[in-house]
Amino acid sequence: MALKGRKSSSKNPPIFSHEFVIQNHADIVSCIAMVFVIGLMVQVTSPFAYMFIAVHHNVTSEQQDLSTSEAPETIRYTYGWKDVCAVFFYFLICIVMHAIIQEYVLDKISRKLHLSKVKHSKFNESGQLLIFYLMSVLWGGDVIFRENYVLNISSLWEGYPHDEMVFMFKFFFIVQLSYWLHCYPELYFQKTKREEMGARITYATLGLIYVLGAYLLNFSRVGICLLVLHYISEALFHAARLIYFLDKAENGSKAGYLIANVFFVLVRLGSIILSVLTFWYGLSLSENQGFDIDSGNFNTQVTRIGALTTVCLLQAWMMWNFITFQLKRMREQAPVQPVARKPKQEKKAASKKRKEEHKRNVEDDELPEVDQNTKKSLRSRAAAGKAK
């Protein structure tokens, strides 16, 4: 079954035109991905295709004693240049999955809601991100509990450098890098408006830099914990926004936004506390300090302060945007003070006075200039007499 992109017209656009690529980008990308899958079946191209699909840099097989035939208990991996090939392949998979979710889930729901163009764009964005966040929270939470990082918080900094990861741990970071990279071509495929591009590019770039930094500097343990915390608050926010689009009464959306706002503040505070514990306290007391690229050791004072400052500045920036948004929303929802209106009698008197003045001016204009001056002087004397 062919995957269809976003439809803009019933006519078939010219081949290799922008509209053709946008409508059929899922089919094009899936064909490219299938080339690597089919390459596994051919003996000549199998090693090349395997380099893109599989997870590489296995360090367990190198450390295993070759004199024994016992299999290792847990296979562990480190990072290397072959990860670029894996990120590229799963980058293609992310584009295909994005198109599938859009075509067969979100578009079918949005057609029934009859949303405006602005709300339709936000609905698609929240739907895609909510699915990604839920998948990442479940996946990352499973890794955290399996590695026992919750009950043994000191394991986040003990034994650094943490350059060895189990398969699901490393694959988690591969998928995270692939997803944030796929956000850039999606701006073109989804016909994102120019005014929306800035926020989406900033968000994708921050996610890519954060994940890549934690992965390359071997801060993967604290990195996955911070990611799961952040994704929980973001998943609650996008779930509340979807409820707002689905719930016409807005009863559920108010409760959803309230829960999301509370978790947002708690996650910001928890992220700062966890970062201070790891970078300022834990790694500074570690015996293995120094800078060694070969062994993956980046535990220096400059690296620790830089990582802690980056995390804290990111949390402060997000908190600032949150506060300004909430203040703006409060001002928009504040009741407008009614303007004091004049009583009907005062309005009638003022209207009558304006009509009389207009009538007198018309009568004066019809008289000669000398008679106009005489009439005005008599009128002023009469007004002065009434005043007395």
Side-chain angles (χ1 to χ4, degrees):
M1 182 181 294
L3 299 176
K4 300 178 181 179
R6 297 182 65 182
K7 299 178 182 179
S8 60
S9 64
S10 58
K11 298 180 180 179
N12 294 324
I15 299 178
F16 301 122
S17 64
H18 290 287
E19 194 64 28
F20 176 84
V21 174
I22 291 172
Q23 290 187 15
N24 302 279
H25 73 274
D27 294 328
I28 297 172
V29 174
S30 60
C31 289
I32 297 174
M34 284 299 297
V35 171
F36 296 101
V37 177
I38 296 174
L40 289 174
M41 305 177 186
V42 182
Q43 186 176 4
V44 177
T45 59
S46 179
F48 178 77
Y50 183 78
M51 185 171 58
F52 282 85
I53 298 176
V55 176
H56 296 278
H57 302 289
N58 183 354
V59 295
T60 307
S61 59
E62 298 176 0
Q63 297 175 357
Q64 185 182 8
D65 187 4
L66 298 178
S67 61
T68 63
S69 59
E70 297 181 358
E73 295 182 358
T74 304
I75 300 176
R76 296 188 175 273
Y77 299 85
T78 185
Y79 63 83
W81 67 270
K82 291 182 180 180
D83 292 341
V84 177
C85 301
V87 168
F88 174 75
F89 177 77
Y90 292 102
F91 158 82
L92 300 177
I93 300 300
C94 287
I95 295 177
V96 176
M97 293 302 300
H98 189 116
I100 293 174
I101 295 171
Q102 184 67 45
E103 179 69 19
Y104 296 104
V105 180
L106 298 179
D107 284 349
K108 290 185 177 181
I109 298 175
S110 61
R111 290 192 194 102
K112 299 179 181 180
L113 298 176
H114 304 289
L115 300 173
S116 63
K117 290 184 178 180
V118 176
K119 289 185 177 181
H120 185 265
S121 176
K122 292 182 179 180
F123 177 82
N124 291 335
E125 180 188 12
S126 294
Q128 294 284 351
L129 288 175
L130 178 61
I131 294 174
F132 169 71
Y133 289 144
L134 289 177
M135 182 270 295
S136 299
V137 168
L138 295 176
W139 189 351
D142 178 70
V143 172
I144 290 172
F145 281 102
R146 286 180 181 273
E147 297 295 321
N148 197 24
Y149 296 154
V150 177
L151 300 178
N152 187 17
I153 194 69
S154 61
S155 60
L156 296 180
W157 56 82
E158 289 181 350
Y160 182 85
H162 308 139
D163 55 344
E164 296 182 5
M165 299 168 282
V166 296
F167 173 80
M168 294 304 292
F169 200 162
K170 177 173 180 175
F171 194 44
F172 175 84
F173 277 92
I174 295 293
V175 173
Q176 293 294 314
L177 292 172
S178 303
Y179 182 85
W180 293 119
L181 276 174
H182 109 284
C183 292
Y184 296 105
E186 285 296 337
L187 298 174
Y188 172 71
F189 295 145
Q190 299 298 322
K191 294 183 178 180
T192 305
K193 294 182 180 179
R194 188 179 298 273
E195 55 269 17
E196 298 178 359
M197 282 189 178
R200 296 193 183 187
I201 290 175
T202 301
Y203 198 79
T205 304
L206 288 175
L208 181 63
I209 292 175
Y210 175 84
V211 175
L212 187 62
Y215 187 64
L216 294 180
L217 297 177
N218 290 321
F219 296 141
S220 54
R221 294 185 181 181
V222 65
I224 193 173
C225 294
L226 293 176
L227 274 178
V228 170
L229 283 175
H230 174 68
Y231 289 166
I232 290 174
S233 66
E234 291 297 309
L236 290 173
F237 168 75
H238 289 287
R241 191 155 76 169
L242 289 178
I243 294 173
Y244 169 75
F245 293 131
L246 297 173
D247 185 16
K248 301 297 182 181
E250 298 185 3
N251 296 325
S253 61
K254 291 181 180 179
Y257 277 122
L258 178 61
I259 296 173
N261 293 339
V262 172
F263 267 86
F264 184 89
V265 177
L266 293 177
V267 166
R268 303 285 78 77
L269 181 62
S271 299
I272 293 176
I273 294 174
L274 190 61
S275 300
V276 171
L277 280 176
T278 303
F279 296 111
W280 187 263
Y281 172 74
L283 290 176
S284 62
L285 300 178
S286 176
E287 297 179 356
N288 190 13
Q289 297 192 23
F291 183 83
D292 188 3
I293 297 178
D294 295 333
S295 62
N297 187 6
F298 303 95
N299 188 12
T300 63
Q301 186 177 7
V302 175
T303 306
R304 293 194 304 268
I305 294 177
L308 179 60
T309 303
T310 302
V311 174
C312 291
L313 286 177
L314 179 61
Q315 305 305 317
W317 177 73
M318 296 178 67
M319 196 65 195
W320 172 258
N321 290 337
F322 174 78
I323 293 173
T324 53
F325 173 78
Q326 294 299 327
L327 292 176
K328 181 181 178 181
R329 188 178 180 184
M330 290 173 60
R331 286 195 298 267
E332 292 176 352
Q333 294 180 350
V336 180
Q337 296 294 335
V339 180
R341 297 181 178 180
K342 296 182 179 180
K344 292 183 178 180
Q345 295 179 356
E346 294 181 3
K347 286 186 176 182
K348 290 181 179 179
S351 178
K352 185 177 180 180
K353 186 177 180 180
R354 286 195 298 269
K355 290 180 179 179
E356 291 177 355
E357 290 178 358
H358 179 70
K359 185 177 180 181
R360 284 197 298 266
N361 292 333
V362 171
E363 293 175 354
D364 293 344
D365 292 337
E366 294 177 355
L367 297 175
E369 185 176 357
V370 178
D371 295 337
Q372 289 183 17
N373 295 332
T374 303
K375 194 169 184 179
K376 288 180 181 179
S377 62
L378 291 174
R379 192 180 299 149
S380 61
R381 289 178 186 179
K386 290 180 180 181
K388 291 180 180 180

